[in-house]
């Protein structure tokens, strides 16, 4: 898996100050996407063990509330195994920090058994996510007044309570 960026002080993609990973690779190609360069699975740099350590170190300070995975698309089948391992390590090291994830796929359609991107690690990945923001960005439903969503169709789903 490649990634486009790591933001170590992100205040836009979940509550508080967060560490955010923008993975590469996305098949949605939403019109008006704010991060279209991450559609390409080869964009950015390879995700390595050193990248994991960098993220874990960035999460250390008490003022960091949690971690957010977005992209690109964390739930592309090619990305799920790597993101799952990362989330597991974050949960092990920082059980009190929350994990958010953004996906264009629908939780109750695409991420269930038989769903379009359901894999052998999807349920494990979901088990680490406290809040999932799902649904493609739809430019015609763009609403800048929404907190943590780009368009009105997107949902903020609390999967686990911290």
């Amino acid at each position: 898996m490649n990634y486009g960026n790591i933001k170590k002080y992100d205040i836009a993609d979940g509550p508080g100050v967060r560490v955010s990973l923008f993975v590469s690779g996305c098949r949605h190609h939403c019109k008006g996407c704010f991060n279209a360069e991450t559609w390409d699975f080869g964009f950015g740099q390879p995700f390595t063990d050193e990248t994991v350590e960098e993220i874990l170190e960035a999460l250390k300070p008490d003022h960091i509330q949690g971690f957010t995975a977005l992209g690109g698309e964390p739930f592309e089948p090619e990305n799920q195994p790597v993101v799952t391992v990362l989330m597991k390590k974050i949960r092990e090291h920082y059980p009190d920090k929350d994990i958010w994830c953004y996906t264009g796929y629908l939780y109750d359609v695409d991420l269930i058994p038989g769903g379009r991107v359901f894999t052998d690690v999807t349920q494990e990945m979901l088990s680490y996510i406290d809040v999932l923001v799902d649904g493609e960005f739809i430019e015609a439903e763009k609403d800048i007044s929404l907190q943590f969503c780009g368009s009105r169709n997107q949902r903020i789903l609390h999967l686990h309570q911290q």
Side-chain angles (χ1 to χ4, degrees):
M1 180 182 86
N2 278 13
Y3 71 98
N5 192 16
I6 297 170
K7 287 188 180 177
K8 295 182 180 171
Y9 301 99
D10 186 356
I11 58 170
D13 299 308
V17 181
R18 317 186 63 72
V19 175
S20 294
L21 171 68
F22 293 78
V23 303
S24 295
C26 183
R27 293 184 175 90
H28 300 294
H29 296 188
C30 302
K31 183 179 178 186
C33 175
F34 81 101
N35 211 9
E37 63 273 6
T38 63
W39 295 352
D40 180 355
F41 284 85
F43 176 76
Q45 50 198 318
F47 190 90
T48 64
D49 291 340
E50 290 77 21
T51 312
V52 172
E53 293 307 314
E54 179 182 353
I55 290 169
L56 291 175
E57 185 65 26
L59 284 163
K60 230 181 222 180
D62 289 340
H63 69 271
I64 301 294
Q65 180 170 332
F67 172 77
T68 300
L70 62 169
E73 173 57 71
F75 276 98
E76 291 295 3
E78 298 89 331
N79 293 339
Q80 286 185 44
V82 176
V83 176
T84 300
V85 169
L86 172 62
M87 288 180 175
K88 180 179 183 182
K89 288 183 180 189
I90 291 169
R91 185 62 73 216
E92 290 170 352
H93 281 78
Y94 304 107
D96 295 331
K97 297 196 188 251
D98 61 9
I99 297 177
W100 280 50
C101 185
Y102 284 76
T103 180
Y105 292 108
L106 295 175
Y107 173 69
D108 48 358
V109 175
D110 302 310
L111 303 179
I112 60 172
R116 158 164 97 135
V117 292
F118 187 84
T119 73
D120 60 341
V121 297
T122 303
Q123 287 179 311
E124 182 183 357
M125 186 169 159
L126 288 167
S127 77
Y128 301 127
I129 297 169
D130 297 298
V131 177
L132 182 72
V133 181
D134 80 343
E136 291 186 2
F137 171 75
I138 298 176
E139 194 170 44
E141 295 189 40
K142 181 177 179 177
D143 185 343
I144 61 170
S145 72
L146 296 172
Q147 189 175 37
F148 309 131
C149 292
S151 56
R152 289 184 298 278
N153 64 296
Q154 294 174 316
R155 304 180 296 178
I156 298 175
L157 304 171
H158 296 266
L159 304 184
H160 307 287
Q161 297 301 319
Q162 272 294 91

